[in-house]
C-alpha cells in the first residue's frame, strides 16, 4: 500500500471518527427501535454457547448489541474508531472490553487488542462506512478472526453507493452499500456461507437521516 493511499485512508478514518464523536448519544435517539439488529444479535447469541467470545465491529455506544450479548452470557469485545462512542459504550456495558481500532488494520496497527480467535463476530452498519474497495479486505479480516465454522452476522443498508458523501445527524459521513444480491456475492466470495437473510424497512426518528432498507446476513465461516 503506497504512502499516499495510506494517508488517504487515515484522513477518511479521521473524518468518520470525528463525525461520530460529534453525534454521540444522538445516534441512539435517531435510531431508537432496532428490531432487525436485536433479532440478528439474538440469532447470534442462540448460535453460541455461554461464555463464547464475540467481537462487535463498530460497536458504537454499546447499545443494543454489546449489552444484549453480555446479558446472554457471552464474553464481548467491542471495537470502534470513535473515542466518544467508546466512552459511552464503557459506561453502558462495563462488563465488556472495548478498544479503539480499525478493522481493516487490526493485524498491523492494533497490536494491543487480544487477537485470539472469536467464536462470533457482529458488524452492524459499520462496514458501510468503508469505501467498497476496502470492504472485501475487512470481511477477510473478520474471517481470519473467527474460529473454523464461527458465526458472523452483518448489518448493511441496501443501496448502490460507493464512498458517497451524505449529511447525517448534522454531520457529514461517507457511506457505501450494495444491492442485496451483490452484497451476498461479496460476502460469499470472502469465505462465508450465508445461512439466513432478513430485511427490514426503517425510518429513523429524525429528519436528519433518510429512510432505509436494512439487510442482515447471518453467516458461517467456511474452512
Amino acid at each position: 500500500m503506497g504512502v499516499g493511499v495510506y494517508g488517504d485512508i487515515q484522513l477518511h478514518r479521521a473524518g468518520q471518527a470525528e463525525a461520530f464523536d460529534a453525534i454521540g448519544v444522538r445516534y441512539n435517539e435517531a435510531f431508537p427501535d432496532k428490531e432487525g439488529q436485536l433479532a440478528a444479535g439474538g440469532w447470534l447469541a442462540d448460535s453460541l454457547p455461554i461464555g463464547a467470545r464475540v467481537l462487535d465491529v463498530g460497536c458504537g455506544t454499546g447499545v443494543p448489541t454489546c449489552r444484549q450479548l453480555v446479558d446472554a452470557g457471552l464474553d464481548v469485545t467491542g471495537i470502534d474508531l470513535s473515542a466518544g462512542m467508546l466512552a459511552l459504550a464503557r459506561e453502558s456495558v462495563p462488563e465488556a472490553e472495548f478498544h479503539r481500532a480499525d478493522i481493516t488494520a487490526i493485524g498491523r496497527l492494533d497490536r494491543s487488542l487480544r487477537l485470539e480467535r472469536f467464536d462470533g463476530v457482529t458488524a452492524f452498519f459499520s462496514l458501510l462506512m468503508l469505501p467498497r474497495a476496502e470492504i472485501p479486505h475487512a470481511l477477510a479480516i473478520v474471517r481470519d478472526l473467527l474460529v473454523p465454522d464461527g458465526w458472523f452476522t452483518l448489518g448493511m443498508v441496501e443501496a448502490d453507493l460507493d464512498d458517497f458523501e451524505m449529511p447525517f445527524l448534522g454531520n457529514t459521513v461517507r457511506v457505501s452499500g450494495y444491492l442485496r444480491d451483490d452484497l451476498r456475492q461479496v460476502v460469499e466470495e470472502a469465505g462465508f456461507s450465508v445461512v439466513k437473510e432478513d430485511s427490514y424497512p426503517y425510518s429513523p426518528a429524525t429528519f436528519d437521516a433518510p429512510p432505509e432498507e436494512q439487510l442482515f446476513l447471518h453467516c458461517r465461516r467456511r474452512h
Side-chain angles (χ1 to χ4, degrees), residues 36 44 54 56 60 63-64 66 71 77 90 104 139 172 176 181 188 191 210 214:
L44 182 67
V54 179
D56 186 15
V63 178
C66 290
D71 289 346
T77 298
R90 291 184 179 107
T104 65
L139 290 169
T172 299
S176 299
D181 289 345
E188 290 176 340
Q214 297 181 345

Side-chain angles (χ1 to χ4, degrees), residues 95-138:
E95 306 95 323
E97 178 180 341
F98 294 100
H99 298 267
R100 190 175 185 189
D102 179 350
I103 185 61
T104 65
I106 205 164
R108 179 163 48 85
L109 297 178
D110 301 302
R111 301 188 185 280
S112 64
L113 181 62
R114 286 191 297 149
L115 288 178
E116 296 90 353
R117 284 182 167 178
F118 294 87
D119 304 292
V121 175
T122 61
F124 293 132
F125 312 111
S126 50
L127 299 193
L128 62 82
M129 296 293 164
L130 300 173
R132 274 188 184 176
E134 294 185 61
I135 291 175
H137 175 56

Side-chain angles (χ1 to χ4, degrees), residues 53-66:
R53 293 191 70 220
V54 179
L55 175 67
D56 186 15
V57 177
C59 61
T61 65
V63 178
T65 297
C66 290

